[in-house]
Amino acid sequence: MKNVRLPFARCLVVAALAVAAQGSWAETITVSAAASLKDAFTELAQKYEANNPQDKVQLNFGGSGALFQQIEKGAPVDVFASADEKTMDKAEQAKLVLEGTRQTFVTNTLVLIQPAKSQAQLDSLQALQDKAVARIAIGNPESVPVGRYTKAALEAAQQWDALQPKLILAQNVRQALDYVARAEVDAGFVYGTDAALMKDKVKVAYVVPVEKTVSYPIAVMKTGAQEAAAKRFVALVTSLIGQGVLKSYGFVPAVK
C-alpha cells in the first residue's frame, strides 16, 4: 500500500502545481469602452474568453470623456474604445496610447428619437422648437461624444441657443436613451445603434446630418499591465469575426 500511495501523492502535487501554473498564466484585461458599445463588446468579450481561456476580460462602460479621465488619473486600463476621435486624441496627447495600436474600427449615425407613443412630428431639428416639445435629452457636450455631435449639429442648424432651456444633460448616451424610453423627455439624441435596441419603446424621428463622421477608435493603453492580451483583444475587434459582431448591432465596420 505504501508504494501505491506515494505515486498517488506525487500526482496530487503535480496536479496542484499545474493548476498554480495555469493561474499564473491567466491575464485579466480591463477594457474601458463607450456606453454605446456595451452590448457588442459584451458579446466580443465572451468570444475572446472562449478563444483565450487563460484570459479574463473586465468591462468598464461609460461616457468616453469620463473613461479618459479615469485613465489619465492612472486607472489600470489595457484597452480603450472611444465614441469619438477627439477623446482618443487627448489620450495620445497625454502619451497614454501605446504607439501603433490606435485604429478606427466602426462608424455610427446620430439620430433624433421620441417615445414610441409620441404623436409629435419631429422631422427636422427646427421642429424641436414646437411647444409640445418641453424636454430634450442630450449627452453632456463637455464629456460625452454624442453630446458634442449633437451640439455641432444644432449649431449648424442655428438651433443650439434657442433650445437651451429644453435641454436635459445625460452622463452618457444610454442615459439619454433611457430618458426617452421611459417618456421622461419628449425627444433625445442618441446613436442609431442605441435606438435599435429599444424599437418597442422609442422611434427614430430624424437622422441628423453631421459634419464629422461618428467614428470609434480603439487602442492599447500604457496604463495597463497586459499588453499581449490587450493586443489580442484589439485584434479580435478588428477581425472579420469582430466586425461581424459589431455589424449585427448596427455599427458600420471601418476595418477592411
Side-chain angles (χ1 to χ4, degrees):
M1 292 293 291
K2 185 175 182 180
N3 290 335
V4 173
R5 289 177 181 174
L6 186 56
F8 181 69
R10 285 176 178 170
C11 287
L12 288 177
V13 171
V14 170
L17 289 174
V19 171
Q22 186 176 9
S24 67
W25 297 335
E27 296 182 354
T28 298
I29 58 172
T30 298
V31 177
S32 287
S36 51
L37 291 166
K38 183 176 181 179
D39 300 87
F41 265 41
T42 297
E43 182 173 337
L44 284 171
Q46 293 171 350
K47 286 185 177 297
Y48 176 88
E49 290 181 347
N51 294 331
N52 301 275
Q54 76 280 8
D55 297 346
K56 294 296 180 183
V57 180
Q58 179 174 297
L59 297 169
N60 178 36
F61 298 105
S64 297
L67 296 176
F68 164 69
Q69 290 178 356
Q70 293 171 5
I71 297 170
E72 189 177 34
K73 292 178 181 178
V77 173
D78 298 288
V79 176
F80 178 39
S82 170
D84 69 338
E85 303 292 344
K86 183 177 180 179
T87 304
M88 192 64 79
D89 289 344
K90 290 182 179 180
E92 282 197 320
Q93 291 164 8
K95 301 187 184 304
L96 297 170
V97 176
L98 186 65
E99 187 176 353
T101 63
R102 177 176 177 172
Q103 297 184 66
T104 295
F105 65 103
V106 286
T107 62
N108 211 333
T109 56
L110 177 67
V111 296
L112 173 64
I113 60 172
Q114 303 171 253
K117 296 181 180 180
S118 175
Q119 298 301 311
Q121 297 296 316
L122 302 181
D123 55 1
S124 70
L125 297 180
Q126 288 75 11
L128 291 171
Q129 290 198 37
D130 192 295
K131 292 182 179 180
V133 181
R135 294 160 63 87
I136 305 167
I138 77 165
N140 187 337
E142 296 299 318
S143 60
V144 183
V146 72
R148 284 196 289 273
Y149 290 120
T150 300
K151 181 179 179 181
L154 290 174
E155 286 179 334
Q158 299 183 337
Q159 298 299 311
W160 176 252
D161 292 335
L163 295 175
Q164 283 295 304
K166 299 183 178 186
L167 300 183
I168 306 298
L169 301 184
Q171 294 181 352
N172 57 64
V173 70
R174 289 298 173 87
Q175 187 176 61
L177 176 66
D178 193 45
Y179 285 157
V180 180
R182 292 186 294 177
E184 294 180 356
V185 297
D186 303 297
F189 290 88
V190 300
Y191 297 123
T193 53
D194 296 296
L197 294 172
M198 291 193 173
K199 291 181 179 179
D200 59 328
K201 296 182 179 179
V202 306
K203 60 183 178 181
V204 175
Y206 181 61
V207 177
V208 183
V210 292
E211 292 184 1
K212 291 185 177 181
T213 302
V214 179
S215 59
Y216 290 61
I218 189 171
V220 176
M221 295 291 105
K222 291 181 180 179
T223 55
Q226 310 297 350
E227 180 181 324
K231 288 181 176 179
R232 287 195 292 272
F233 185 84
V234 172
L236 172 62
V237 172
T238 57
S239 70
L240 289 176
I241 293 175
Q243 293 288 286
V245 170
L246 288 155
K247 186 177 181 180
S248 72
Y249 287 93
F251 292 94
V252 178
V255 178
K256 297 181 180 180

